[in-house]
Each structure stands twice: as C-alpha cells, then as structure tokens.
Amino acid sequence: MDSEGVSPPFFDREKHVVFLQMMNQLLPSDYQGQEINRLTLAYFAISGLHILGALDQVDKEEVSSWVLSLQAHPRNDAELNSGQFFGFHGSRSSQFPQDDNGALIHNGSHLASTYCALAILKIIGYNFSCINSKSILTSMRHLQLSDGSFMPTHVGAEADLRFVFCAAAICFMLEDCSGMDKEKAKEYILNCQTYDGGFGLIPGSESHVLGCSRSHPKAYSNLYLGENFSAQVGTGGATYCAVASLQLMGFIEDDILSKSSSSFINVQLLLDWSLQRQAADGGFQGRANKASDTCYAFWIGGVLRILGAYKFIDEEALRRFLLTCQSRYGGFSKFPGNLPDIYHSYYGFSAFSMLEEPGLIPICVELGIADIAAAIGH
C-alpha cells in the first residue's frame, strides 16, 4: 500500500476482517439513518465474517438472544389468523410495546427482516427447532397476493420479486413450504421476464439488477431497491431474486443449459442478457449502459452460477475490477475510489468467494450465506 492510499493488488483478508469487526461493534455515524434496518446490517457483518472464515469473532449466544428478541409473537390462534405477519422486526425502533392486554400496539415485522434474522441464526448454528416457525409460516401466507407476489408487511407496501425471494428463502431455511403457494409465486416470476431475457421487479418493468445509489441497498427488501433503504433485504436485483427464488423452490432443472428448451423461463435469453452485463473494465453492470459496480459481481455472477454458466465470464478481469474497489481501510466501495460501505463490502466478499479466493468459505449463492450454514438441516 503506497502513500497515495492505493489498495494492494491482492485480496486483503485481514483488513476486511478488521473492517467487519468494527461494523459489527460500532457503526459509523453515517449509518444512523439506517437504524430501522439494524438486523440487516448485522446480517451483512456476521455473514461477511463467516465467509471470511472469522466467525469466531462473533459472540453467538449474544447474537442469538438479540435476534430472537426481535420476533413478533401472536397471543393465540385467533390473532395468528388475523391477517398480521408474525416475523421479525428490523430493530427496536419498529418494535412497539404491548398494550395492557398483551396485544401488539403496532406489529412492524417485515419479510426482509425475517429473512435476515433466520440467515443469522443459521450462520451461528442456532437450533431451529426452538423457533416458532408455525407463526412465521402461517402468517406469511397472508402476505401473498392473488398474482403470486408478496407484500413485505401486513399493513401493505409495494409487492414485487424482492419479497418473493424473501418468502422462498424463509421457507427453505425453515424446511417447510407451507408459508407460500409456490405455483402462484412461480407464475408471478415468469410474468416478470422481459423481452431481453432479464427480469423486472414487477411484470412489464425494465429488466435489471437493483443496486443502490448510496452506500446502502434495498434488495432483500427495501434494502435493495435503490435510493431509499427503508425497511431492510436487499435488495439486490430483480433478476437475481427471480432466479434464486426458482432455485430455492426447486424449479430450476439440473444442468439447465444442456436442455434444448425450458418449460418455464427463456434460459437462452437470460444467459445472453446476463453475460452481456460484464463490461469492458471487467466488472458487472446492473443493466445496459450503466457503470460497473461491486455488488453486481454477486447479483449477476450469482445468476450465472445458478445457471451453471459462471465458467463463461472473464474471472481475471472481474478480479482486477473488484480490487480497484477494495479500500485500503478494508471493505469494498461501490465504485473505484469511493469509501467502503458494509453493503458493497459484503457483496465484494461474496464475489471473491465465488471466484474461489483462498481462505474464503464457499457461498450458497441462492440463499446468500455460506454453503456450510445453508447445508445445516438439508
């Protein structure tokens, strides 16, 4: 590292571990506006440490106690079937106290927060038999609309592929698909594929991989949407959410590229669109004519990995691009020369895991956590 602050020409694992340790203990003041998404920020830090092979830096008992304290619980079966969603809150800010009768004054539990909570618990090896999965799955069905999409909360909000992904991931982790109508969800996903092969967030919208215009995303929720980061998952991308959801629900065929045709998605168009996203600088762009961005190395790279087409990318060019986004302080930035943030750092680590960087734990692309954690119970 020279006096100009240029990042070293190699993956600096030790500095990345220190960066995430800091993020896990005390977030910089710039993250104050994201307090409502505290659970998601914890997911980035804890899952990132796991991928880096540094999960021993996490106090598992403390983490599990905190995460479980954010779950909303129904008082009885009648309340469970009242239409509310009993998942996890994103932080204490959305967790209002109960009234004198024990009822929740405002149940702000959210699909994306629930995905992140369960992912964290899987990573630290928590026994899922101790989780009230019935209340999560039963109430989650209330969030699925007639077209197959999902709302993130029972009070209403935008319904799109981000929350279909959250629902599919939740069912996968709980090993119970009763929380959703998979066939309806599948049809909704198919209706989101566009003429160019990618997927839009909703039927008829532009195909893309949602990124974030600031240092935080909105993909797994409002988390991966773009400019705001209001409720928490991640967003990442519409195309990733579509393909990962199909994989989690068991609809992606083995060796799909060798099939002459597919009964559900246009694989050839999807493959062409995805491969065209690798730009001349080696990085991946979220859509045509956009700048390369660290997080798309995961969102697009993940799609190609699920399809069995990762071998077609220029891995060395991608590695070189990512290293230009590596910060001398540890972590990754959105673009070369920017300061690092926890979101782009996490997807930078994930991208290097897919590139089989020595010392990193392989990632389960469709679930967004390390393979070793995803495999527990499966």
Side-chain angles (χ1 to χ4, degrees):
M1 226 179 293
D2 62 26
S3 59
E4 304 264 312
V6 176
S7 174
F10 59 86
F11 183 83
D12 200 341
R13 178 187 172 277
E14 297 307 314
K15 277 210 165 51
H16 296 318
V17 170
V18 172
F19 175 83
L20 284 185
Q21 285 176 313
M22 177 193 73
M23 290 292 186
N24 193 39
Q25 294 166 6
L26 184 64
L27 287 166
S29 59
D30 285 350
Y31 291 83
Q32 286 179 339
Q34 309 307 326
E35 202 284 328
I36 193 71
N37 302 306
R38 186 176 291 269
L39 193 51
T40 299
L41 297 173
Y43 156 75
F44 287 139
I46 294 168
S47 188
L49 285 168
H50 194 198
I51 291 170
L52 292 173
L55 193 59
D56 60 337
Q57 303 297 318
V58 175
D59 186 328
K60 297 179 182 179
E61 289 295 324
E62 183 180 26
V63 168
S64 63
S65 177
W66 174 69
V67 171
L68 291 170
S69 73
L70 293 170
Q71 186 176 2
H73 296 281
R75 289 174 298 169
N76 48 49
D77 286 345
E79 191 168 53
L80 178 59
N81 292 292
S82 66
Q84 294 188 61
F85 174 52
F86 292 96
F88 287 79
H89 296 271
S91 74
R92 293 278 179 258
S93 298
S94 63
Q95 192 176 39
F96 290 80
Q98 298 176 335
D99 64 17
D100 294 337
N101 297 316
L104 293 173
I105 296 174
H106 175 67
N107 177 4
S109 56
H110 193 284
L111 264 185
S113 303
T114 304
Y115 159 77
C116 289
L118 295 178
I120 290 172
L121 292 173
K122 254 216 180 280
I123 290 164
I124 63 176
Y126 184 77
N127 184 352
F128 270 40
S129 67
C130 299
I131 296 174
N132 185 356
S133 59
K134 177 187 175 183
S135 66
I136 296 173
L137 294 166
T138 300
S139 62
M140 192 170 78
R141 291 188 68 92
H142 302 146
L143 303 181
Q144 189 167 21
L145 303 181
S146 60
D147 64 359
S149 64
F150 276 82
M151 299 184 298
T153 69
H154 66 271
V155 295
E158 64 269 15
D160 55 53
L161 283 179
R162 293 169 298 168
F163 309 116
V164 173
F165 166 78
C166 289
I170 289 166
C171 287
F172 183 88
M173 287 188 280
L174 293 177
E175 299 181 68
D176 188 339
C177 61
S178 65
M180 66 189 302
D181 185 326
K182 293 200 301 182
E183 287 298 328
K184 275 190 173 182
K186 174 185 173 183
E187 288 306 311
Y188 182 79
I189 293 171
L190 302 190
N191 288 332
C192 290
Q193 188 169 25
T194 67
Y195 72 93
D196 60 5
F199 288 79
L201 269 184
I202 59 175
S205 65
E206 179 184 9
S207 57
H208 63 329
V209 185
L210 291 175
C212 65
S213 59
R214 299 185 191 172
S215 56
H216 312 294
K218 248 188 139 187
Y220 288 139
S221 96
N222 288 342
L223 187 84
Y224 305 152
L225 211 168
E227 302 213 335
N228 302 313
F229 179 88
S230 68
Q232 112 118 25
V233 171
T235 168
T239 302
Y240 167 84
C241 288
V243 175
S245 297
L246 290 170
Q247 175 78 346
L248 291 167
M249 292 188 291
F251 290 125
I252 296 285
E253 305 160 79
D254 292 335
D255 197 20
I256 193 171
L257 292 183
S258 68
K259 304 291 192 297
S260 58
S261 63
S262 172
S263 60
F264 58 97
I265 56 175
N266 190 323
V267 177
Q268 188 57 57
L269 271 181
L270 172 59
L271 178 62
D272 289 347
W273 182 86
S274 300
L275 289 172
Q276 288 171 18
R277 300 284 69 76
Q278 187 165 25
D281 60 8
F284 278 91
Q285 56 185 193
R287 46 187 166 168
N289 302 314
K290 296 294 182 180
S292 297
D293 178 332
T294 295
C295 65
Y296 298 136
F298 173 77
W299 300 123
I300 298 289
V303 168
L304 292 168
R305 173 63 69 85
I306 292 169
L307 295 177
Y310 199 70
K311 59 189 176 185
F312 298 131
I313 73 167
D314 187 334
E315 294 187 16
E316 284 308 310
L318 175 58
R319 186 184 298 272
R320 287 194 297 271
F321 171 79
L322 290 172
L323 288 175
T324 66
C325 297
Q326 179 177 241
S327 169
R328 65 191 177 104
Y329 306 108
F332 286 84
S333 59
K334 178 182 176 74
F335 301 129
N338 288 11
L339 289 173
D341 64 82
I342 194 169
Y343 168 71
H344 288 95
S345 296
Y346 181 70
Y347 291 111
F349 306 148
S350 298
F352 268 99
S353 175
M354 288 194 293
L355 288 168
E356 300 181 351
E357 176 69 22
L360 299 193
I361 293 178
I363 189 170
C364 174
V365 173
E366 62 269 28
L367 200 55
I369 60 177
D371 262 340
I372 191 171
I376 296 175
H378 286 273

